Amino acid sequence: MKQAPVLNDKQVKKLFNSPKMTKYESRNRLILSLSYYAALRSIEIASLCVGDVLNGDGSIKDTIILRSHQTQGNESHTVVLSAHLRGELKKYVSDYSLHRERLTAPLIKSQKGGFFSSQSLQNLFKHLYRNVGFDDCSSHSGRRKFASSLDEKNVSIGVIKTLLRHSHISSTQRYIQVSKHRLENSVNLLNY
Protein backbone atom coordinates (compact mmCIF):
# COMPACT_ATOMS: atom_id res chain seq x y z
CA MET A 1 0.00 0.00 0.00
CA LYS A 2 1.33 3.41 -1.00
CA GLN A 3 2.10 5.71 1.93
CA ALA A 4 0.73 9.21 2.19
CA PRO A 5 3.33 11.82 1.22
CA VAL A 6 4.98 13.99 3.85
CA LEU A 7 4.71 17.68 3.00
CA ASN A 8 7.64 20.00 3.57
CA ASP A 9 7.19 23.06 5.80
CA LYS A 10 6.49 25.42 2.88
CA GLN A 11 3.77 23.07 1.59
CA VAL A 12 2.21 22.81 5.06
CA LYS A 13 2.01 26.62 5.26
CA LYS A 14 0.29 26.68 1.87
CA LEU A 15 -2.14 24.01 3.05
CA PHE A 16 -2.95 25.88 6.28
CA ASN A 17 -3.64 29.08 4.31
CA SER A 18 -6.10 27.27 2.03
CA PRO A 19 -9.10 27.14 4.42
CA LYS A 20 -9.42 30.92 3.96
CA MET A 21 -10.80 30.12 0.50
CA THR A 22 -13.45 27.73 1.82
CA LYS A 23 -16.95 28.22 3.19
CA TYR A 24 -16.01 26.66 6.54
CA GLU A 25 -12.62 28.28 7.19
CA SER A 26 -12.45 27.79 10.97
CA ARG A 27 -13.74 24.20 10.82
CA ASN A 28 -11.36 23.18 8.03
CA ARG A 29 -8.38 24.79 9.74
CA LEU A 30 -9.18 22.91 12.96
CA ILE A 31 -9.46 19.60 11.09
CA LEU A 32 -6.00 20.17 9.60
CA SER A 33 -4.63 21.25 12.99
CA LEU A 34 -5.92 18.11 14.73
CA SER A 35 -4.16 16.01 12.10
CA TYR A 36 -0.88 17.94 11.97
CA TYR A 37 -0.51 18.96 15.62
CA ALA A 38 -2.07 15.98 17.44
CA ALA A 39 -1.70 13.22 14.82
CA LEU A 40 -5.38 12.36 15.07
CA ARG A 41 -6.85 9.91 12.57
CA SER A 42 -10.04 10.73 10.64
CA ILE A 43 -12.09 8.37 12.80
CA GLU A 44 -10.80 10.14 15.91
CA ILE A 45 -11.44 13.66 14.61
CA ALA A 46 -14.92 12.70 13.38
CA SER A 47 -15.91 11.28 16.77
CA LEU A 48 -14.80 14.19 18.95
CA CYS A 49 -17.45 15.77 21.16
CA VAL A 50 -17.42 19.28 22.62
CA GLY A 51 -16.81 17.71 26.07
CA ASP A 52 -13.65 16.02 24.79
CA VAL A 53 -11.92 19.40 24.50
CA LEU A 54 -13.76 21.71 26.94
CA ASN A 55 -13.51 21.75 30.70
CA GLY A 56 -16.62 22.53 32.73
CA ASP A 57 -15.56 26.17 33.02
CA GLY A 58 -15.29 26.53 29.23
CA SER A 59 -11.49 26.43 29.12
CA ILE A 60 -9.62 24.14 26.72
CA LYS A 61 -8.30 20.87 28.15
CA ASP A 62 -4.58 20.03 28.03
CA THR A 63 -5.33 16.49 26.86
CA ILE A 64 -8.06 14.63 25.03
CA ILE A 65 -9.05 11.24 26.36
CA LEU A 66 -10.12 9.15 23.40
CA ARG A 67 -12.49 6.43 24.51
CA SER A 68 -12.25 2.99 22.93
CA HIS A 69 -15.18 3.57 20.54
CA GLN A 70 -13.40 6.67 19.15
CA THR A 71 -10.19 4.91 18.13
CA GLN A 72 -8.98 2.61 15.40
CA GLY A 73 -7.81 -0.14 17.77
CA ASN A 74 -10.75 0.07 20.21
CA GLU A 75 -8.44 1.09 23.06
CA SER A 76 -8.61 4.27 25.09
CA HIS A 77 -5.77 6.75 24.53
CA THR A 78 -4.61 10.10 25.82
CA VAL A 79 -3.76 12.80 23.29
CA VAL A 80 -1.54 15.64 24.52
CA LEU A 81 -2.49 19.03 23.08
CA SER A 82 0.23 21.54 22.28
CA ALA A 83 -0.16 25.20 23.23
CA HIS A 84 -0.58 25.99 19.54
CA LEU A 85 -3.40 23.47 19.12
CA ARG A 86 -5.12 24.66 22.29
CA GLY A 87 -5.07 28.15 20.76
CA GLU A 88 -6.67 26.83 17.57
CA LEU A 89 -9.33 25.05 19.64
CA LYS A 90 -10.02 28.19 21.68
CA LYS A 91 -10.57 30.22 18.51
CA TYR A 92 -12.81 27.51 17.03
CA VAL A 93 -14.88 27.20 20.22
CA SER A 94 -15.32 30.98 20.22
CA ASP A 95 -16.17 31.18 16.48
CA TYR A 96 -18.91 28.56 16.88
CA SER A 97 -20.00 29.47 20.45
CA LEU A 98 -19.44 25.84 21.44
CA HIS A 99 -19.36 26.67 25.16
CA ARG A 100 -23.17 26.85 24.80
CA GLU A 101 -23.44 23.38 23.22
CA ARG A 102 -24.15 20.11 25.02
CA LEU A 103 -20.93 18.32 25.96
CA THR A 104 -22.06 15.38 23.81
CA ALA A 105 -22.54 17.57 20.69
CA PRO A 106 -20.12 17.02 17.80
CA LEU A 107 -17.00 19.18 18.03
CA ILE A 108 -16.92 19.36 14.25
CA LYS A 109 -20.36 19.34 12.68
CA SER A 110 -21.12 18.13 9.20
CA GLN A 111 -23.28 20.29 6.90
CA LYS A 112 -26.30 18.42 8.26
CA GLY A 113 -25.35 19.35 11.84
CA GLY A 114 -24.34 15.89 13.05
CA PHE A 115 -21.08 14.01 13.33
CA PHE A 116 -18.92 13.48 10.26
CA SER A 117 -18.33 9.87 9.30
CA SER A 118 -14.71 8.82 9.04
CA GLN A 119 -15.11 8.41 5.28
CA SER A 120 -16.70 11.84 4.76
CA LEU A 121 -13.84 13.41 6.74
CA GLN A 122 -11.29 11.54 4.60
CA ASN A 123 -13.07 12.93 1.53
CA LEU A 124 -12.85 16.44 3.00
CA PHE A 125 -9.10 15.99 3.56
CA LYS A 126 -8.72 14.89 -0.09
CA HIS A 127 -10.67 17.98 -1.19
CA LEU A 128 -8.53 20.33 0.92
CA TYR A 129 -5.33 18.77 -0.47
CA ARG A 130 -6.53 18.88 -4.07
CA ASN A 131 -7.44 22.58 -3.69
CA VAL A 132 -3.72 23.34 -3.24
CA GLY A 133 -2.41 20.80 -5.76
CA PHE A 134 -1.37 18.01 -3.39
CA ASP A 135 -3.38 15.28 -5.10
CA ASP A 136 -1.49 12.32 -3.59
CA CYS A 137 -2.01 13.40 0.02
CA SER A 138 -4.51 11.79 2.35
CA SER A 139 -5.82 12.11 5.89
CA HIS A 140 -2.64 10.30 7.02
CA SER A 141 -0.29 12.95 5.59
CA GLY A 142 -0.66 15.00 8.78
CA ARG A 143 0.22 12.02 10.99
CA ARG A 144 3.30 11.30 8.87
CA LYS A 145 4.41 14.96 9.00
CA PHE A 146 3.88 14.96 12.78
CA ALA A 147 6.09 11.88 13.20
CA SER A 148 8.75 12.99 10.72
CA SER A 149 8.98 16.49 12.22
CA LEU A 150 9.42 15.12 15.75
CA ASP A 151 12.06 12.69 14.51
CA GLU A 152 13.85 15.58 12.78
CA LYS A 153 13.94 17.35 16.17
CA ASN A 154 15.54 14.25 17.75
CA VAL A 155 12.48 13.20 19.75
CA SER A 156 12.94 9.54 20.65
CA ILE A 157 11.07 6.94 18.63
CA GLY A 158 9.48 5.69 21.86
CA VAL A 159 7.92 9.10 22.53
CA ILE A 160 6.76 9.39 18.91
CA LYS A 161 5.23 5.88 19.15
CA THR A 162 3.29 6.92 22.24
CA LEU A 163 2.11 10.19 20.68
CA LEU A 164 0.95 8.36 17.55
CA ARG A 165 -0.78 5.79 19.76
CA HIS A 166 0.92 2.87 18.04
CA SER A 167 1.28 -0.56 19.64
CA HIS A 168 4.60 -1.33 17.94
CA ILE A 169 7.66 0.76 17.09
CA SER A 170 7.77 -0.90 13.66
CA SER A 171 4.49 0.87 12.83
CA THR A 172 5.97 4.19 13.94
CA GLN A 173 9.11 3.68 11.86
CA ARG A 174 6.99 3.39 8.71
CA TYR A 175 5.53 6.85 9.39
CA ILE A 176 8.86 8.63 9.61
CA GLN A 177 10.37 10.02 6.45
CA VAL A 178 14.05 10.75 6.95
CA SER A 179 15.07 13.93 5.16
CA LYS A 180 18.16 14.38 3.00
CA HIS A 181 19.23 17.12 5.44
CA ARG A 182 19.05 14.68 8.37
CA LEU A 183 21.10 12.07 6.47
CA GLU A 184 23.79 14.62 5.59
CA ASN A 185 23.99 15.90 9.18
CA SER A 186 24.26 12.35 10.48
CA VAL A 187 27.23 11.34 8.33
CA ASN A 188 28.94 14.64 9.14
CA LEU A 189 28.91 13.69 12.83
CA LEU A 190 31.67 11.21 12.09
CA ASN A 191 35.21 12.48 12.48
CA TYR A 192 37.81 9.80 13.20
Side-chain angles (χ1 to χ4, degrees), residues 148-168:
S148 297
S149 295
L150 291 177
D151 180 66
E152 192 76 27
K153 296 178 184 328
N154 296 315
V155 174
S156 79
I157 189 111
V159 170
I160 298 170
K161 172 190 161 286
T162 301
L163 291 171
L164 287 174
R165 300 165 312 283
H166 283 154
S167 299
H168 305 284

Side-chain angles (χ1 to χ4, degrees), residues 82-93:
S82 68
H84 178 82
L85 184 52
R86 288 192 311 272
E88 291 284 339
L89 281 161
K90 183 177 181 180
K91 180 181 180 334
Y92 178 80
V93 165

Side-chain angles (χ1 to χ4, degrees), residues 116-148:
F116 270 88
S117 70
S118 178
Q119 185 59 55
S120 60
L121 201 57
Q122 289 173 39
N123 293 342
L124 177 57
F125 270 110
K126 277 289 208 196
H127 178 73
L128 292 171
Y129 285 120
R130 284 190 182 127
N131 280 349
V132 288
F134 305 140
D135 295 346
D136 293 338
C137 290
S138 75
S139 59
H140 258 56
S141 293
R143 285 176 57 80
R144 292 203 64 221
K145 176 66 174 175
F146 178 91
S148 297

Side-chain angles (χ1 to χ4, degrees), residues 75-128:
E75 293 182 26
S76 296
H77 292 284
T78 300
V79 178
V80 179
L81 302 178
S82 68
H84 178 82
L85 184 52
R86 288 192 311 272
E88 291 284 339
L89 281 161
K90 183 177 181 180
K91 180 181 180 334
Y92 178 80
V93 165
S94 175
D95 287 352
Y96 286 92
S97 300
L98 292 182
H99 56 281
R100 296 182 186 149
E101 290 278 347
R102 297 178 336 274
L103 294 180
T104 57
L107 176 66
I108 299 169
K109 290 183 181 179
S110 68
Q111 287 181 344
K112 295 179 182 176
F115 285 92
F116 270 88
S117 70
S118 178
Q119 185 59 55
S120 60
L121 201 57
Q122 289 173 39
N123 293 342
L124 177 57
F125 270 110
K126 277 289 208 196
H127 178 73
L128 292 171

